[in-house]
């Protein structure tokens, strides 16, 4: 049975003052103004940059692999690792099988450091060499084999006793050696379409002359002096596509295989070195720099596409000054004249003349060319071929023809407006 009295309050426990009280210091949490913490902000930034970092890491890995794994073949003309028609890999492999150590270099500094006495230095071209680089090659003690040499290299190597032929016809026919050089005699015959080599002094012997070549002129030259210098006027003798023709293989193998070491020098466009002690520019950079730079350019291009922002539609604005129509016309005319755009200028003259005459004759601007020509012929009584040539003929060949076209168009318009 319940009563109307309230329940007594629970007993209040008295705290135990005998024990030691423990307090905890308040450690505030760093909270930003928008309610984010340092940890949440770091996670957000990581999500924003993780994909670009992944791409950069991938590019770095690919660049490292490309730098470490140099391709076994190339497409450089006359290079010993080029298996293509313009390469010389077949010749280099045969020389290697015969015990010749072929050292492939692409800088003048490497060629000079390896071209010692008792070795052979092959120079495949001197078109990209500086005068000081040619001088450095000539100061070496190795025997020289020069392929399509220039005046400076050939005359310097032979002491001025040989030069390039001035008048030389070189049909692609087999030629006999016509000399006593043992290498040329062993070759039997070769075919050459080069410029020709001429002996101008003692010590130089020329072989394989043409049927109508000048005296002491041929495709193969040997100079015996302090060292042996061999010059070939046609690089096709060394290539994979030409080495098996006639006696090319015998001649080239005997010329290059006289010593156990052959320095095969193919000059590079980026080489400006002279020796191991003196070198500058891109020739001192490692070969993988070009690969890395290309890949960085590709990454920069895609990054620009990814981060690019459209600026929206173009908005026309009033010009701050008033430009007279005559000044605009003169300015456009000067631009056409400077770029020699006579075709554009003639097209503009013809189009505006056609519009004005069509409006005068009651034709719409979209009227076809035959309709406009017929209307002008009826108004001016000119031949239809003449009107068609003025309005739709070829562009003028020079400024005088353009002025003549403008004069004839003006006269035609005057006839239409004032028949």
């Amino acid at each position: 049975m319940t009563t109307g009295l309230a329940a007594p309050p629970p007993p209040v426990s008295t705290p135990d003052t005998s024990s030691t009280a423990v307090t905890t210091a308040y450690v505030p949490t760093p909270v930003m103004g928008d309610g984010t913490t340092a940890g949440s902000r770091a996670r957000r930034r990581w999500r924003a940059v993780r994909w670009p970092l992944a791409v950069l890491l991938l590019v770095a890995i690919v660049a490292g692999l490309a730098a470490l794994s140099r391709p076994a073949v190339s497409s450089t003309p006359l290079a010993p690792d080029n298996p293509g028609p313009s390469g010389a890999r077949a010749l280099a492999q045969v020389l290697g099988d015969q015990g010749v150590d072929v050292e492939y270099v692409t800088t003048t500094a490497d060629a000079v450091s390896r071209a010692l006495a008792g070795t052979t230095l092959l120079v495949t071209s001197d078109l990209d060499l500086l005068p000081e680089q040619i001088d450095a090659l000539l100061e070496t003690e190795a025997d020289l084999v020069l392929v399509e040499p220039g005046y400076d290299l050939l005359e310097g190597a032979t002491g001025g006793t040989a030069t390039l032929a001035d008048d030389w016809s070189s049909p692609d026919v087999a030629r006999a050696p016509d000399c006593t050089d043992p290498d040329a005699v062993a070759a039997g015959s070769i075919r050459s379409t080069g410029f020709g080599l001429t002996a101008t002094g003692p010590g130089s012997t020329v072989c394989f002359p043409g049927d109508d070549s000048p005296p002491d002129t041929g495709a193969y030259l040997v100079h015996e002096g302090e060292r042996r210098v061999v010059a070939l006027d046609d690089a096709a003798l060394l290539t994979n596509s030409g080495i098996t023709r006639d006696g090319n293989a015998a001649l080239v193998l005997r010329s290059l295989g006289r010593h156990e070491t052959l320095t095969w020098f193919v000059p590079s466009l980026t080489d400006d070195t002279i020796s191991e002690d003196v070198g500058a520019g891109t020739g001192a950079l490692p070969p993988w720099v070009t690969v890395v730079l290309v890949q960085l350019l590709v990454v920069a291009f895609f990054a620009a596409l990814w981060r690019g922002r459209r600026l929206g539609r173009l908005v026309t604005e009033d010009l701050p000054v008033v430009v007279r129509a005559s000044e605009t016309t003169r300015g456009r005319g000067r631009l056409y004249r400077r770029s020699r755009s006579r075709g554009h200028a003639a097209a503009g003259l013809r189009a505006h003349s056609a519009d004005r005459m069509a409006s005068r004759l009651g034709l719409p601007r979209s009227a076809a060319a035959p309709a406009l020509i017929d209307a002008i012929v009826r108004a001016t009584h000119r031949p239809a071929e003449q009107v068609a040539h003025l309005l739709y003929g070829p562009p003028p060949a020079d400024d005088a023809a353009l002025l003549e076209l403008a004069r004839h168009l003006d006269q035609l318009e005057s006839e239409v407006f004032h028949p």
Side-chain angles (χ1 to χ4, degrees), residues 22-87:
V22 179
T23 60
T24 303
Y26 172 70
V27 180
T29 302
V31 178
M32 307 301 170
D34 57 353
T36 60
T37 62
S40 63
R41 183 174 62 178
R43 288 190 296 270
R44 185 175 67 252
R45 290 181 177 178
W46 166 248
R47 286 193 298 268
V49 302
R50 59 183 178 180
W51 285 112
L53 290 178
V55 172
L56 291 177
L57 180 61
L58 178 61
V59 170
I61 294 175
V62 173
L65 294 177
L68 294 176
S69 59
R70 183 179 179 179
V73 296
S74 70
S75 59
T76 304
L78 297 182
D81 59 355
N82 181 2
S86 63

Side-chain angles (χ1 to χ4, degrees), residues 151 154 163-169 194-198 213-214 216-218:
Y151 284 98
L154 180 60
T163 186
L164 299 183
D166 295 329
D167 184 13
W168 170 253
S169 60
F195 291 102
L197 308 169
T198 301
S213 62
D216 298 325
T217 300

Side-chain angles (χ1 to χ4, degrees), residues 25 35 52 73 89 126 153 185 189 196-197 249 286 306 309 335-337 353 358 377-378 406:
V73 296
R89 187 179 183 182
D126 62 342
L153 181 59
V185 173
S189 65
L197 308 169
W306 171 53
R309 293 291 186 268
L335 291 176
Y336 282 150
R337 185 175 183 179
S353 296
V377 168
R378 289 193 298 269

Side-chain angles (χ1 to χ4, degrees), residues 223-248:
H223 176 76
E224 296 288 354
E226 297 180 356
R227 60 180 172 184
R228 179 181 174 88
V229 178
V230 174
L232 303 170
D233 75 334
D234 192 356
L237 302 175
L238 284 70
T239 60
N240 297 324
S241 60
I243 189 66
T244 57
R245 299 183 64 186
D246 302 315
N248 295 353

